[in-house]
Amino acid sequence: MGVRELKTNIYSVGAVDWDRRLFDELIPLPDGTSYNSYLIKGSEKTALIDTVNPTMMDVLVKNVEELGTEDIDYVIANHAEQDHSGSLPRILDLYPSAKVVCTPKCKDLLMDLLLIPEDKFITVADGKTLSLGNKTLEFIHAPWVHWPETMLTYLREDGVIFTCDFLGSHLATSDLFVTDEATVYEAAKRYYAEIMMPFRITIRKNLQKIKELAIDTIVPSHGPAYDKPDFILNAYKDWASDEVKNEVVIPYISMHGSTKKMVDYFAEALIERGITVKQFNLSEPDIGKLAMALVDTATVVIGSPTVLVGPHPKVVYAACLANALRPKLRFVSIIGSYGWGSRMVEQLSGLMPNLKVEILEPVVIKGVPKEEDFKALDMLADEIRDKHKAQGIISEQEK
Ligand code: FEO
């Protein structure tokens, strides 16, 4: 993507990665992504906000040169992760007088990860400002969105806040600003679920911290910019709140059909009780979709057959993922089947110590489900309905 003007003397010089399909060799990117970088030309100084993934270094360099940039005074490093800092060494080679402006923690990380010499850095305290002449940058420390060194940069005169990963979306688009809110909402929720959800409480503090700023435009480092800031701020407030939905997410796998029979019966039983159900077959999962479902569900019921006395390995993977993402859910249970013996419940429970949830009595049966097993599933569905009601978790229709 070539140079585009965000506002007067603020230029988008980053890159759109239409083809990338995996991040961290883990996270699916069904819609690609972008690595946003901005060049700000003040009346006296020029600053570059973040860089791009090393694979897209040439795009950044070409865009910066195209603007006739003779010098860069400051490179603002809001985040040390490679997709934003990986092109820093090349920029510092091309513009040797440039200083890297970042938090002290970010400096440590950049020295370790990219071997940038110490004399290249200016570290800034929370709330410090830097003048570019007619434009002023204010630095807001925002640790743990999503690394310990993360920072936001607020351009006062223009009301623009550069938020790096915070509030972003993995979405390749030629639009500089959000045009299709539904598409961006989906991509931003996926991003929140995969990257930000473990830091829900910190996110609330950071939202509070920027509340008093006059924000005209929010510019994350992935996906389009928000010229209607409330769209993404309200979405984040909702996702990071303590509110959960009257939903049950069922990640499951079945080898010979018994667990599948249980899951299908149980899903129907929940639906009859007015509960929304989201089922995920873990044989070929999109873990992003599962993570999104975990953002606001009240309950998860894991379905698994027994493999060598434990849960199916793909269920283990999903349980580890849920444990790492720390969704705000309230209840967990387990259903499934075994042939001759099972320690599935103990093993699965032990894999999710981060989840502060109530474990509801599992239904783990021998062989194919029989009449009494279906009754046990009905009882679990009753219990979930009653627990949700007792905690005031009701469906949108009931509100
Ligand atoms: Fe987009 Fe945490 O890097």
Side-chain angles (χ1 to χ4, degrees), residues 98-357:
K99 294 286 185 193
V100 180
V101 180
C102 62
T103 64
K105 273 207 176 79
C106 189
K107 174 184 150 185
D108 288 348
L109 282 168
L110 289 174
M111 286 175 66
D112 282 341
L113 296 172
L114 296 170
L115 307 177
I116 296 173
E118 186 156 21
D119 63 1
K120 285 285 181 188
F121 288 93
I122 299 173
T123 58
V124 287
D126 188 24
K128 281 287 167 203
T129 59
L130 182 66
S131 175
L132 305 180
N134 60 347
K135 291 185 188 287
T136 314
L137 301 177
E138 180 180 336
F139 305 108
I140 300 155
H141 286 203
W144 296 113
V145 286
H146 61 122
W147 278 16
E149 87 302 358
T150 39
M151 174 175 94
L152 320 176
T153 299
Y154 177 57
L155 177 50
R156 276 184 184 169
E157 290 76 3
D158 295 276
V160 175
I161 188 159
F162 299 92
T163 57
C164 207
D165 287 342
F166 187 44
L167 310 171
S169 60
H170 279 313
L171 183 63
T173 169
S174 59
D175 296 334
L176 192 53
F177 294 97
V178 173
T179 52
D180 177 350
E181 288 196 346
T183 299
V184 178
Y185 185 91
E186 179 89 358
K189 187 170 186 181
R190 180 184 271 266
Y191 192 86
Y192 169 88
E194 294 163 335
I195 309 288
M196 296 289 162
M197 185 153 65
F199 310 105
R200 197 166 61 86
I201 305 303
T202 313
I203 282 169
R204 299 209 298 233
K205 285 184 196 150
N206 285 323
L207 289 174
Q208 207 52 35
K209 203 167 177 181
I210 62 172
K211 200 171 156 220
E212 300 308 322
L213 298 176
I215 296 174
D216 174 77
T217 308
I218 293 175
V219 186
S221 57
H222 297 290
Y226 305 93
D227 51 2
K228 295 184 188 120
D230 280 348
F231 164 67
I232 192 65
L233 292 174
N234 288 339
Y236 259 64
K237 270 181 218 158
D238 178 27
W239 300 332
S241 75
D242 288 332
E243 293 266 306
V244 288
K245 289 188 179 159
N246 188 25
E247 281 181 10
V248 175
V249 169
I250 311 177
Y252 77 97
I253 201 157
S254 187
M255 287 160 65
H256 302 299
S258 296
T259 303
K260 172 80 172 134
K261 274 190 190 133
M262 294 177 75
V263 165
D264 287 347
Y265 182 89
F266 183 58
E268 282 302 318
L270 291 166
I271 293 163
E272 279 167 16
R273 288 159 177 79
I275 299 168
T276 300
V277 172
K278 292 180 179 168
Q279 259 177 251
F280 292 89
N281 188 325
L282 296 172
S283 54
E284 294 292 338
D286 172 347
I287 59 164
K289 279 270 183 202
L290 175 58
M292 281 169 77
L294 294 177
V295 167
D296 30 36
T297 187
T299 299
V300 168
V301 176
I302 299 168
S304 179
T306 301
V307 179
L308 300 171
V309 229
H312 191 286
K314 289 191 173 182
V315 172
V316 170
Y317 176 70
C320 289
L321 183 75
N323 183 60
L325 294 178
R326 298 170 187 244
K328 57 188 174 185
L329 51 99
R330 312 248 177 108
F331 308 102
V332 167
S333 192
I334 298 161
I335 63 176
S337 167
Y338 63 92
W340 51 89
S342 180
R343 290 204 300 274
M344 182 162 79
V345 170
E346 303 90 292
Q347 290 186 16
L348 271 179
S349 310
L351 290 172
M352 297 181 283
N354 289 345
L355 303 183
K356 306 294 175 225
V357 294

Side-chain angles (χ1 to χ4, degrees), residues 45-46 69-75 88-101 119-122:
K45 303 281 187 188
T46 298
T69 310
E70 288 179 2
D71 216 350
I72 292 175
D73 299 284
Y74 307 111
V75 185
L88 254 175
R90 172 94 178 270
I91 291 292
L92 296 176
D93 280 346
L94 292 170
Y95 301 94
S97 57
K99 294 286 185 193
V100 180
V101 180
D119 63 1
K120 285 285 181 188
F121 288 93
I122 299 173

